[in-house]
Amino acid sequence: MTSQKPIAVGTNDSAQSQAAVLWAARRAHRAGLPLVVLHVVDDRWVAEPYPWFGTLQQAGEELLKTAVGRLEGAVPITPATELLTGSVGGSLAKYSKKTSMMVIGSGSGHFGGSLADRALQVATAAKVPVAVVGTQDLEGRSGVVVGVDGSPESTQAVAFAAAEADREGDELTVVYAVSVPDPIVDAGLTPATLADLIVDEDRVVLSETVAGLKEDYPDLTVHQRLENDRGPVDALVGTAAGARLLVVGSRGRGAFKRLLLGSTAHGVLKHLPCPTIITRTQAAKNAI
């Protein structure tokens, strides 16, 4: 283990954040890392120190005690707690600099409802891998799924996912979804063989992406899936429906490189099939 920075998890006592706290505690225990449970008191609308703001802080402290109390008897770990103030997304993203991984619930209530919200802000702005956890039943699930597209970010995602799968004794499924010309819509616009050429080239990209895994992880079973009949989001969500974990890079090789979170990662988080980790290129090598 190369990092002793803690795993941090944000909570607001929603069902999603309760699941996130339990998931983070189990991961921290397996990795031998400290765990910090966080709650953010949103003070963006407080123009001056109103007396009732102290009541909000006290309620936040009680919420943290409740969250930690739920872990007793479930996971043999004693987490630290910390109460933050500020915007929820910004505060958690800033705190992520102190951590090896930030864990958040998939979004509700305090985190802003759907995942076009504050939870998404954390996944966008954090400097470390971000795990987004929903309320899916994880009993009986197995396997790690990772999405690739030939970009440096997806290459690092594969490295993270392979280390994860090997450590936990899971099989790894590497998914590459590509769009090929439609034989009817594009009739007359492209050569009839163009679709086959695109698939052949992308099959090479997929093979090259996983080429070194056997050497690094000789006991790891790796499956390659080249999808050409559905988009990246649908392919990943469908493949990971029964998986223990999905891993995606923060950005792909799309046209908008300036975006901090790529469209595939964004789409996957909005249709979360299982606990999903968004990796960062600089941090992916230190998989935890």
Side-chain angles (χ1 to χ4, degrees):
M1 200 63 57
T2 59
S3 173
Q4 288 302 311
K5 289 184 176 181
I7 292 175
V9 55
T11 183
N12 62 356
D13 211 35
S14 67
Q16 291 89 339
S17 67
Q18 289 179 31
V21 170
L22 181 59
W23 188 92
R26 288 171 172 167
R27 187 176 185 91
H29 173 63
R30 291 196 308 270
L33 292 174
L35 175 68
V36 182
V37 183
L38 307 171
H39 176 70
V40 183
V41 177
D42 193 339
D43 68 351
R44 290 177 300 163
W45 316 117
V46 180
E48 56 184 272
Y50 288 106
W52 48 259
F53 188 69
T55 302
L56 293 179
Q57 291 179 309
Q58 183 177 358
E61 294 286 2
E62 290 299 320
L63 186 150
L64 288 172
K65 290 180 181 178
T66 299
V68 171
R70 289 194 182 99
L71 295 177
E72 294 181 5
V75 185
I77 191 171
T78 303
T81 62
E82 192 161 345
L83 189 70
L84 308 177
T85 58
S87 70
V88 177
S91 296
L92 293 179
K94 182 178 180 181
Y95 192 91
S96 72
K97 297 177 183 178
K98 305 177 182 180
T99 73
S100 56
M101 175 178 286
M102 177 64 71
V103 183
I104 52 177
S106 58
S108 72
H110 190 51
F111 282 118
S114 68
L115 208 66
D117 63 5
R118 297 170 184 173
L120 184 56
Q121 293 174 19
V122 179
T124 301
K127 304 302 181 183
V128 296
V130 175
V132 183
V133 180
T135 56
Q136 297 92 348
D137 183 4
L138 303 183
E139 189 69 28
R141 288 174 175 254
S142 64
V144 176
V145 176
V146 60
V148 301
D149 62 4
S151 67
E153 285 81 4
S154 74
T155 299
Q156 294 294 344
V158 170
F160 187 106
E164 169 79 20
D166 185 70
R167 182 171 57 247
E168 300 296 329
D170 272 315
E171 296 184 359
L172 176 67
T173 301
V174 183
V175 179
Y176 188 9
V178 297
S179 297
V180 299
D182 185 277
I184 298 177
V185 175
D186 296 322
L189 299 179
T190 60
T193 58
L194 181 56
D196 291 336
L197 291 174
I198 291 175
V199 170
D200 288 342
E201 289 179 1
D202 286 323
R203 188 173 289 111
V204 171
V205 172
L206 179 57
S207 297
E208 290 178 345
T209 301
V210 302
L213 295 182
K214 197 63 179 177
E215 181 177 346
D216 295 335
Y217 306 103
D219 297 325
L220 177 63
T221 298
V222 180
H223 305 284
Q224 301 179 43
R225 290 190 61 168
L226 185 63
E227 296 267 359
N228 56 24
D229 58 350
R230 51 182 176 173
V233 174
D234 288 341
L236 289 172
V237 170
T239 304
R244 178 180 64 82
L245 185 71
L246 172 61
V247 180
V248 294
S250 57
R251 292 183 295 175
R253 62 177 186 181
F256 301 101
K257 286 294 187 181
R258 68 182 181 275
L259 296 179
L260 294 177
L261 195 69
S263 59
T264 297
H266 187 285
V268 165
L269 293 186
K270 292 183 71 175
H271 302 88
L272 199 73
C274 64
T276 298
I277 294 179
I278 310 298
T279 62
R280 294 295 189 264
T281 301
Q282 293 180 342
K285 292 181 180 179
N286 296 325
I288 47 89

